Amino acid sequence: MKRIKAIVTLFAVLAMFLLPTAGLTAEASNPVTYSVKCLGNQWRYQANTSKFDEGYPHREVYYMLQEMKDGDIVVVYSESDSAPDLNLGSIKLSNLTVVTTAKHTIIFSGDITDAFILGNTSVSLNCNVTNGHVYDPAVASFNGNVQNLTLYKDGHNANTNISCAGVVDQYRLASMDGSYTYFQIYNFHEGKFQVMNGNVTTPDWAFSWNAPAAAAPTQAPAAAPAPQPQQPAQSAGQYDSVPKTGDSSMMIALLSAASLCMAGSFTLKRKAN
Amino acid sequence: MVMNERKSKKNFFSKFLLIIAILCFLAAGALAVLYVRDYLATNRLIDGLKPSNDDGYVEVVPEVMPTATPGPTLEPTPEPTPEPVEHPYKEAFLQNADTAAWIQVPGTVIDYPVMWTPADEEYYLYRGFDKKKNQNGCLILDTDSCTNPLSTNLIIHGHNMKSGAMFGSLLKYDSVDYYNEHKNIILYTEDVQRNYEIVAVFRSQIYKTTDQVFKFYKFFNATTQEEFDDFYNNIKAMSLYDTGVTAEFGDNFITLATCTYHVTNGRFVVVAKEVSQGDRYLPITQ
């Protein structure tokens, strides 16, 4: 009996230790947002907030690196002229947003899924980026590869400079709200991507206007095919969509009709008399 | 009695037709007023944007038919300055962010801004430069064309106005004599002046989506020699006369297209190739 009690107690103790740990593990899988700011010449951070508030306690970035895990989010603020490089180690970030920079800021990190470089910032990212979003006016230097890069601008006064030391698979110029795309170009050769004052200055031979062909079936994942967006059935009688640039002939038609009616009216009147 | 009845019926129909005729005349008159109003509005707006009018808005004396603008000639081509200069059509770019370029065919009325609206290709089809309703519309750069980075072919659509405005005078290229006097096209893009020489002039049409034929309006970029050959051989074959101008893979083109009525959805097309560049321009800022 004593032995059974001891075993039950042991299981109970084990359960007490294991249950909170399981709870913590589930919590830890959610991405945590860190806001990072350079104060003086030191990077400080606050967790679980995207806005850095100097009125609240903050700590050295060293401790953040101890806590961080893949998928976390980092928001960067720098209003200091003496900001050193920001080293975020090799952790893969789901989102890195650069909100303010007083001078050109160099950031090291693991791969980033979405990098947002907001207007009036100047930054170098030393990592690979899946989706790069640059908002005019900004200076962005990507020192790894970028899969999809978008520059958002309004009007003709774009003043953004972007370069990439790696390859850029797709570059898109879009309106500031992203609602429409001016153009899309593809397959920039390694180290050749360059945008100066919002204009692509890469030589013609170093990129392509055509989207690359879809990956070969053997390379495709074995998952079920994704549902295709419904295309309107192409009718054999439908013309290509090109602006119709003819002038209206309504005035001539009306004048012709008026002349005919007038002639008819006079003829009838003459016959009646 | 019967005669009187017939007479009164004829009188009734005579009056009825007269009323319809008057209504038709009135409607045609109203349309004519709108037509002239739009024409004058376009002229006023465009003239205010041209570089000769440094003081801005210029009142234009109304004319029934447009007269040829004494545009600059390409011969001899002025030497481009080595340093970027201020854009001569800066005002147009600043006033409307949809401005993609300014096109000029020296010696003709074609001297207009070219608008580019990727979200809605036909936005300026019946709107003026000021975005107000206007039958003349604006010249439209096809949404699949792009000035920066430059696509191989820039297709510009414009109305074939009876007044001669927009691309109303383009059909004069039917005549080889007219071509000989107006061989050149200048396109002032945001960053540089591009000078073109006409390669081919032809009539074509908009085809059905399923038609397997050469469609001039589908050529925007030549990434291979084959793509270029397909376009070039077809436009040369269709050209109404031999211009003597040749092109090769790597050349850039401009295509001006307007409606004609030789067939359903007919188009009159002028294709030119870039032969040189003029001044480079400073970034357009306030």
Side-chain angles (χ1 to χ4, degrees):
Chain A
M1 192 64 186
K2 267 186 180 176
R3 197 171 284 172
I4 291 169
K5 267 187 181 173
I7 290 168
V8 169
T9 312
L10 189 66
F11 272 113
V13 170
L14 271 175
M16 279 174 70
F17 277 105
L18 284 174
L19 281 175
T21 315
L24 280 177
T25 310
E27 230 174 63
S29 65
N30 293 328
V32 177
T33 303
Y34 297 94
S35 62
V36 176
K37 187 169 187 177
C38 187
L39 299 174
N41 60 355
Q42 195 182 47
W43 289 99
R44 311 281 297 183
Y45 86 96
Q46 288 170 337
N48 297 312
T49 175
S50 59
K51 262 198 163 179
F52 193 97
D53 188 339
E54 289 178 40
Y56 285 90
H58 43 78
R59 303 177 75 190
E60 295 93 332
V61 162
Y62 167 80
Y63 296 103
M64 180 179 90
L65 296 177
Q66 310 304 310
E67 291 175 15
M68 278 177 80
K69 62 187 183 309
D70 286 352
D72 281 348
I73 297 163
V74 175
V75 185
V76 179
Y77 299 84
S78 171
E79 281 142 27
S80 165
D81 284 333
S82 53
D85 296 354
L86 174 61
N87 193 339
L88 299 173
S90 58
I91 293 149
K92 292 176 182 170
L93 302 175
S94 63
N95 183 322
L96 176 97
T97 302
V98 182
V99 182
T100 55
T101 55
K103 65 157 200 167
H104 191 75
T105 303
I106 298 166
I107 299 172
F108 294 86
S109 89
D111 294 354
I112 300 172
T113 308
D114 283 293
F116 293 88
I117 295 163
L118 303 192
N120 298 307
T121 60
S122 178
V123 66
S124 282
L125 293 183
N126 293 281
C127 57
N128 293 325
V129 174
T130 308
N131 303 305
H133 308 268
V134 182
Y135 292 81
D136 182 68
V139 175
S141 173
F142 294 92
N143 291 323
N145 300 325
V146 184
Q147 266 182 40
N148 305 305
L149 181 56
T150 306
L151 170 61
Y152 301 88
K153 71 155 192 170
D154 266 341
H156 287 282
N157 302 328
N159 198 21
T160 291
N161 296 336
I162 314 174
S163 64
C164 181
V167 297
V168 174
D169 293 345
Q170 179 185 298
Y171 170 70
R172 184 168 80 100
L173 183 66
S175 58
M176 194 56 94
D177 61 1
S179 62
Y180 68 87
T181 300
Y182 293 98
F183 62 81
Q184 252 170 241
I185 36 184
Y186 307 89
N187 291 339
F188 283 84
H189 294 195
E190 189 173 348
K192 293 296 175 193
F193 180 87
Q194 188 147 40
V195 165
M196 298 291 287
N197 292 318
N199 298 321
V200 176
T201 54
T202 305
D204 291 353
W205 54 265
F207 66 83
S208 167
W209 282 95
N210 300 328
T218 49
Q219 292 172 320
Q228 295 293 313
Q230 272 201 331
Q231 297 274 339
Q234 226 178 39
S235 155
Q238 202 177 1
Y239 284 94
D240 288 327
S241 169
V242 176
K244 288 187 171 64
T245 48
D247 194 1
S248 165
S249 301
M250 183 64 94
M251 205 161 65
I252 292 167
L254 282 170
L255 285 173
S256 306
S259 307
L260 281 172
C261 289
M262 193 76 95
S265 167
F266 282 122
T267 313
L268 283 172
K269 192 160 190 163
R270 211 171 51 196
K271 279 184 180 173
N273 293 333
Chain B
M1 185 72 180
V2 176
M3 280 290 283
N4 272 346
E5 210 172 277
R6 272 190 191 165
K7 205 172 175 180
S8 102
K9 262 189 185 172
K10 278 179 183 170
N11 269 332
F12 171 77
F13 279 117
S14 166
K15 279 179 187 163
F16 180 70
L17 283 175
L18 192 65
I19 289 168
I20 290 179
I22 290 167
L23 287 176
C24 285
F25 273 126
L26 285 175
L31 281 179
V33 169
L34 289 177
Y35 199 82
V36 172
R37 187 201 64 180
D38 283 355
Y39 175 72
L40 294 178
T42 302
N43 273 0
R44 259 202 306 270
L45 264 174
I46 303 303
D47 286 342
L49 299 167
K50 291 178 186 170
S52 54
N53 303 319
D54 287 334
D55 299 330
Y57 184 85
V58 171
E59 192 71 44
V60 176
V61 179
E63 286 175 32
V64 177
M65 289 296 287
T67 53
T69 312
T73 173
L74 278 182
E75 293 168 6
T77 308
E79 276 296 308
T81 50
E83 291 303 314
V85 297
E86 189 162 281
H87 203 296
Y89 295 97
K90 179 180 169 182
E91 201 52 39
F93 286 90
L94 286 175
Q95 281 192 24
N96 190 329
D98 296 331
T99 309
W102 189 285
I103 191 171
Q104 204 173 57
V105 182
T108 76
V109 291
I110 299 172
D111 191 5
Y112 296 112
V114 181
M115 315 310 284
W116 191 48
T117 46
D120 177 6
E121 186 168 43
E122 299 193 353
Y123 183 81
Y124 285 99
L125 196 59
Y126 292 107
R127 282 190 180 93
F129 183 81
D130 54 0
K131 302 185 178 181
K132 289 182 184 160
K133 274 193 171 179
N134 190 312
Q135 287 299 308
N136 292 282
C138 285
L139 300 185
I140 301 165
L141 179 65
D142 198 290
T143 48
D144 289 313
S145 295
C146 187
T147 56
N148 192 342
L150 187 72
S151 51
T152 309
N153 189 21
L154 299 173
I155 300 183
I156 299 172
H157 307 276
H159 278 298
N160 176 9
M161 300 304 291
K162 291 183 186 74
S163 65
M166 296 297 138
F167 281 167
S169 63
L170 206 63
L171 269 72
K172 290 181 182 174
Y173 277 102
D174 250 345
S175 151
V176 71
D177 292 336
Y178 186 83
Y179 156 76
N180 281 325
E181 286 163 19
H182 309 95
K183 290 180 176 182
N184 301 309
I185 299 170
I186 308 172
L187 190 74
Y188 300 89
T189 56
E190 203 177 325
D191 55 340
V192 72
Q193 175 188 327
R194 300 178 184 278
N195 303 319
Y196 295 85
E197 192 171 5
I198 293 172
V199 178
V201 175
F202 58 92
R203 284 171 190 269
S204 184
Q205 67 187 93
I206 304 305
Y207 292 96
K208 289 177 180 168
T209 46
T210 47
D211 289 344
Q212 298 293 314
V213 290
F214 169 68
K215 298 176 176 177
F216 76 89
Y217 51 87
K218 293 282 185 193
F219 175 76
F220 297 101
N221 283 296
T223 48
T224 63
Q225 180 75 46
E226 288 71 30
E227 283 172 348
F228 168 80
D229 287 345
D230 179 53
F231 171 72
Y232 182 65
N233 294 338
N234 273 297
I235 61 162
K236 287 304 257 184
M238 289 197 297
S239 189
L240 299 173
Y241 40 82
D242 182 13
T243 59
V245 180
T246 56
E248 56 190 39
F249 180 48
D251 282 340
N252 293 317
F253 297 89
I254 188 170
T255 298
L256 315 183
T258 193
C259 280
T260 52
Y261 306 99
H262 62 287
V263 288
T264 306
N265 287 317
R267 290 291 185 279
F268 190 86
V269 186
V270 173
V271 180
K273 78 157 187 175
E274 189 178 322
V275 287
S276 64
Q277 290 191 353
D279 287 338
R280 285 182 298 118
Y281 300 125
L282 292 164
I284 290 167
T285 48
Q286 288 290 345

